Amino acid sequence: MRRIVWLLLVLMLGAGAAAAQDSATPRRAVAGEACPVKLPDWASAPERYAWAQICAGNVADMQYSTGVDDEAGCDALKEDQPWPDSRLLSPRFIKLIAAREPFVSAPARPAVRVRCARFDEQVRLDEEVVPQSLWLDDSRLPKGVSLNGSRFGRDLSLDGATLGEAGLDAHTMSVAGDLYLQNGVFGGAQLIGASVGGGLAASGSRFTALFQASGLTVGGGVYLRDEAEFAGVVLRGASVGGNLEAAGSRFTGLFNADRLTVGGSVFLRDQAEFAGVSLLAASVGGDLDASGSRFTGLFNADRLTVGRGVFLRGGAEFTGVSLLGASVGGGLDASGSRFTGPFIADRLKVGGGVFLRDKAEFAEVRLPGASVGGNLEASDSRFTGLFIADGLTVGDSVYLRGGAEFAGVNLPGASVGGVVQMQDSTFAGLVDMTGLTAQELALWRGSGSTVKWGKDAELILRNAQVEALQAQIPESWVRADGTPLPLDLQGFRYDRLGGFGSGAEGDLSRIGDAAPLIAWIEAAGDSGGQDAGHAPQPYFQMESVLRAMGAGPAADEVAYARHLHRMDHYGSSLQDWVAWAGEWVWRLLVGFGVYPFRLLWWFAALVVLGTILGRRTGALCTQGWSGCFWYSLENAFPLMEPGRRNRDLFHDHPAVRSFFHFQKIAGFVLGTILVGTLTLLGN
C-alpha cells in the first residue's frame, strides 16, 4: 500500500513540474494570429504597432505606423526634415523586446527589425545580451547608441541610420554575425576591443568624428568603401580575417592601422582620398592595393609585411611613402604614379620585382640595403631627386633605361644578378657605382641607343666588377655639351667588352685602332679636370681583356700608353729624373718591352754604321762593302766569333777604333736586353 501511495505522489509532483515549465516557456507567435506576449501599459501606440510587426516576424516600418504612409520618407541623410511623433520609439522599449523574456522568444523570427524609427533619447544596451538580430535601419538617433560590453547572438544593423554627435559607443561589444553601419550619418564610432564574427560594413556612410576601432576583431571583411567619408580611422592592433576595403572613399583625417593584421587583402584604391595612412608593422596576407588614389599626407608603412603584392600604380598621387624594413612576398608596383615627396624604402625586401616605370614621377627614391628578388625597373620615368640604393641586392636586372630622367644615382656596393641597363636615359648629375657587381653594364644597345649624360654628369666605377661592358666609344662617354664625361675607373674590372650576345658592331675588341679606348682611360685619369696621378690599373684591365679576346695589337697599344702615362707622372726630384731617363731609353730601345723587336732596328743601325765607317778606314777599304758589312756584323754580334783576318785587323784612327769597341759592347748589351725581354714576354 505504501508503495502505491509513493508512486502516486511521484506522478503528481512530476505532472506539476511539467505544468509549471510549460507555463514559464513563452509561446512563439504564429503568422496570422495575435502576438501571445503583450506589452506593458506604458508602451505607446507606435511601440504597440512595432511590436505587433516584430512579433509576427515582419519589419516594423514606422512610416506606416498609422496604417498609411506618412510620406515623411526614410532618407537618413536629410537631417533637417522633421519626422512625426508616430515614429517615436523609446530606448526602454527596444531593451525590453531585444533583451528580456518572454519578448526575446516570442517573435516568429529571431530578429528585432525596425525601420524609419525616431529615438529622441540615447539607446542604451550596455552589458546586455541580445540573442537575436537587432536592426535599427534608416532610423534617427540624435543622442547616439551605447552598446558597451553588449553581446549580440546574431547581426547588428544601423544601416542608413543618422546618429548625432554622440555616435556609436560600443567598446568591447561582441557581435556573432555581421555589423552593418552602411549609408548612414554617424558622429563617430567607438569600437575599441569590439568583436564581430562576420563582416563589418560601413560603406557609403559619413563619419563626422573619429572611427575608433583599436583592437577590433572581425572574422570576415571590413568594408569602408563606396564613397564613404571618414574624419579619421583608427584600426591600431585590429585583426581582420577577410579583406579590408576602403576603395573610392574619402578620409580627411589619418587612417591609422598600425599593427593591423589582415588575412586577405587591403584595398585603398579607385580614386580614394587619404589625408595620411599609417600601417606601421601591419601584416597583410594578400595584396596591398592603393592604385589610382590620392594621399595628401605621408603613406607610412614601415615594417609592413605583405604576403603578395603592393600596388601603388595607376596614376596614384603620394606626398611621401615610407616602407622602411617592409617585407613584400610578391612585387612592388608604383608604375605611372606621382610621388611629390620622398619614396623611402631602406632595407625593403621584395620577393618579386620593383616597378617604378611607365612615366612615373619621383622626387627622391631611397633603397639602401633593399633586397629585390626579381627585376628593378625604373624605365621611362622621371626622378627629380636622388636615386639612392647603397648596398642594394637585385636577383635579376636593373633597368634605368628607355628615356628615363635621373638627377643622380647612387649604387655603391650594389649586387645585381643580371644586367644594369642605362641606354637611352638621361643622367644629369653624379652616377656612383662604387663596388657594384653585375653580369653586364650596358650603356649602349645598338644604333642610336646610347646613354645621355648631362652637362654636370659624372660616373664613378671605382672597384666595380661586371662580366661585360657594353658601350660605344666615344659616344657613351661624352656629356651633352661635348666635353668628356668625368670618370673614376680605379679598380673597375670587366671580363669582356661589347656585351653578351652582341654582334661584331658591338665588339670593341674588333676596332682597328685602340686610340679611342686609350682616350677613354686617359679621360678617367683627368676626372673633373684634376690630375689623379699615376693610375695604372685601368690600363692593365683593358690590356688583359683585349688579350683574352684575341686583340693582341690593340692590347700592345694600351700597354705602351700605360708606360707613357707613368712617364708623364714622374716628379721633379733627382730620383724621378733618373727614373724618367731610364724609361726614355727603355722606350727608345724596345718600346717599354711592348715592342721588343724594335731593338733589332737599333742593332741593324749599329751594323750599318760600322759598315760605313769600316769602308772609310785603311784597314777595310780594300775588302769592299760586303767585307766591311761582315766585319761590322761579326764585331757587333756578341756570340759570333770573327774570322781570322777580321780578328787581326787594327784601326789606325783612334775614333774608329773606339767606335768598334763601343759597337762590340753595344751589341752585347742589345743582345742581352733582347733575350731578357723575350724571356719576360714568354713568362
Side-chain angles (χ1 to χ4, degrees):
M1 188 66 182
R2 289 183 179 178
R3 292 180 179 178
I4 296 175
V5 173
W6 280 110
L7 180 60
L8 290 173
L9 287 173
V10 171
L11 291 174
M12 290 174 64
L13 290 174
Q21 183 175 358
D22 289 341
S23 63
T25 302
R27 185 165 65 86
R28 189 172 293 278
V30 178
E33 295 182 3
C35 185
V37 178
K38 305 300 181 182
L39 288 176
D41 294 339
W42 53 258
S44 66
E47 292 170 344
R48 294 182 185 281
Y49 164 80
W51 174 241
Q53 295 296 317
I54 293 168
C55 191
N58 300 323
V59 177
D61 192 337
M62 299 306 295
Q63 64 181 333
Y64 297 99
S65 64
T66 60
V68 294
D69 188 354
D70 61 15
E71 298 183 356
C74 286
D75 189 351
L77 298 179
K78 297 179 180 178
E79 301 178 36
D80 57 343
Q81 177 180 325
W83 279 2
D85 292 342
S86 59
R87 298 190 180 190
L88 182 62
L89 300 178
S90 65
R92 67 172 178 170
F93 166 71
I94 295 298
K95 181 182 293 188
L96 177 69
I97 66 174
R100 298 290 183 268
E101 291 290 0
F103 299 94
V104 170
S105 302
R109 283 186 168 183
V112 173
R113 298 185 296 174
V114 176
R115 183 174 181 270
C116 303
R118 180 183 125 201
F119 295 86
D120 289 349
E121 300 176 31
Q122 185 184 47
V123 174
R124 297 182 63 90
L125 293 173
D126 297 339
E127 305 296 336
E128 295 289 348
V129 176
V130 180
Q132 68 272 61
S133 297
L134 176 60
W135 295 5
L136 301 179
D137 294 349
D138 300 313
S139 297
R140 289 190 176 178
L141 304 104
K143 301 296 184 179
V145 176
S146 181
L147 304 173
N148 293 308
S150 58
R151 302 290 182 265
F152 292 85
R154 294 177 182 266
D155 300 335
L156 171 62
S157 178
L158 293 172
D159 273 2
T162 301
L163 279 68
E165 294 182 0
L168 173 63
D169 194 0
H171 292 69
T172 68
M173 174 185 69
S174 174
V175 178
D178 298 319
L179 174 59
Y180 299 101
L181 307 175
Q182 302 177 112
N183 302 311
V185 179
F186 299 83
Q190 296 290 325
L191 294 167
I192 298 173
S195 174
V196 179
L200 189 160
S203 301
S205 290
R206 178 156 56 94
F207 292 82
T208 59
L210 187 65
F211 187 96
Q212 169 61 273
S214 297
L216 171 70
T217 300
V218 178
V222 173
Y223 307 100
L224 314 178
R225 61 193 181 193
D226 301 335
E227 300 183 357
E229 297 182 16
F230 294 85
V233 172
V234 178
L235 289 166
R236 191 184 300 114
S239 176
V240 180
N243 294 333
L244 170 59
E245 301 190 19
S249 294
R250 184 167 178 260
F251 300 82
T252 57
L254 179 65
F255 187 97
N256 188 334
D258 298 345
R259 303 186 306 282
L260 169 72
T261 300
V262 177
S265 298
V266 174
F267 299 111
L268 313 178
R269 61 191 182 190
D270 301 336
Q271 288 78 51
E273 297 183 15
F274 294 85
V277 172
S278 184
L279 289 165
L280 295 173
S283 176
V284 180
D287 297 322
L288 170 60
D289 193 346
S291 302
S293 293
R294 184 167 177 259
F295 299 83
T296 56
L298 179 65
F299 188 99
N300 192 343
D302 296 346
R303 304 187 305 282
L304 169 72
T305 300
V306 177
R308 294 203 296 261
V310 173
F311 303 99
L312 313 177
R313 61 191 179 189
E317 298 182 16
F318 295 87
T319 301
V321 172
S322 184
L323 290 165
L324 289 169
S327 177
V328 180
L332 189 157
D333 193 346
S335 302
S337 293
R338 185 166 177 258
F339 299 81
T340 57
F343 185 98
I344 302 173
D346 301 38
R347 303 181 305 282
L348 169 70
K349 294 182 180 179
V350 179
V354 173
F355 307 101
L356 315 177
R357 60 193 180 191
D358 301 335
K359 302 188 183 307
E361 296 183 16
F362 294 86
E364 179 182 347
V365 173
R366 294 185 54 88
L367 291 164
S371 174
V372 180
N375 293 326
L376 170 59
E377 300 190 24
S379 306
D380 194 27
S381 291
R382 186 165 176 258
F383 300 83
T384 57
L386 289 179
F387 188 100
I388 302 172
D390 307 42
L392 171 71
T393 300
V394 178
D396 288 334
S397 299
V398 174
Y399 299 112
L400 312 178
R401 63 187 181 188
E405 299 179 17
F406 295 88
V409 176
N410 287 354
L411 289 169
S415 175
V416 180
V419 304
V420 177
Q421 292 191 4
M422 303 170 64
Q423 71 273 12
D424 289 329
S425 290
T426 300
F427 298 85
L430 176 67
V431 177
D432 188 352
M433 295 187 175
T434 302
L436 168 75
T437 59
Q439 189 181 77
E440 177 184 343
L441 175 60
L443 308 181
W444 172 66
R445 283 282 182 184
S447 177
S449 62
T450 191
V451 67
K452 300 174 180 62
W453 302 105
K455 62 182 181 63
D456 298 319
E458 299 180 38
L459 177 60
I460 299 177
L461 291 170
R462 179 178 289 268
N463 298 324
Q465 182 175 0
V466 298
E467 294 184 26
L469 173 62
Q470 177 97 349
Q472 194 175 23
I473 302 292
E475 289 82 356
S476 296
W477 311 102
V478 178
R479 285 170 162 176
D481 58 4
T483 59
L485 175 70
L487 293 167
D488 186 345
L489 299 177
Q490 282 302 305
F492 178 40
R493 292 174 290 169
Y494 46 95
D495 299 327
R496 177 177 172 179
L497 294 168
F500 295 142
S502 65
E505 72 279 0
D507 190 345
L508 298 183
S509 70
R510 301 193 183 194
I511 63 174
D513 185 6
L517 300 176
I518 296 170
W520 172 58
I521 298 174
E522 290 176 346
D526 296 329
S527 178
Q530 298 180 353
D531 189 347
H534 179 47
Q537 188 275 336
Y539 294 91
F540 278 115
Q541 178 64 45
M542 179 67 74
E543 179 186 353
S544 64
V545 169
L546 291 174
R547 292 197 191 284
M549 297 174 68
D556 289 340
E557 291 185 52
V558 174
Y560 191 82
R562 170 169 52 85
H563 290 285
L564 290 178
H565 169 73
R566 179 169 58 189
M567 288 187 66
D568 290 339
H569 289 85
Y570 278 121
S572 57
S573 65
L574 177 61
Q575 182 179 357
D576 285 342
W577 274 104
V578 172
W580 181 89
E583 291 268 15
W584 186 86
V585 173
W586 190 26
R587 171 191 177 188
L588 204 61
L589 294 178
V590 289
F592 301 112
V594 176
Y595 303 110
F597 293 104
R598 181 181 290 181
L599 186 142
L600 296 179
W601 291 102
W602 287 103
F603 186 83
L606 192 65
V607 172
V608 170
L609 182 59
T611 300
I612 295 172
L613 288 177
R615 185 73 176 84
R616 295 179 178 277
T617 62
L620 289 172
C621 63
T622 60
Q623 296 188 23
W625 285 105
S626 61
C628 292
F629 168 75
W630 288 111
Y631 174 80
S632 179
L633 180 63
E634 291 174 355
N635 189 71
F637 205 90
L639 301 180
M640 183 177 292
E641 180 69 24
R644 178 180 301 176
R645 184 176 58 180
N646 290 339
R647 188 172 58 246
D648 296 336
L649 284 176
F650 179 79
H651 302 282
D652 296 331
H653 197 286
V656 174
R657 194 165 55 244
S658 297
F659 169 78
F660 282 109
H661 286 308
F662 166 76
Q663 185 190 48
K664 186 175 295 186
I665 295 171
F668 178 80
V669 172
L670 291 177
T672 302
I673 293 174
L674 178 61
V675 172
T677 303
L678 293 176
T679 301
L680 290 175
L681 290 176
N683 293 333

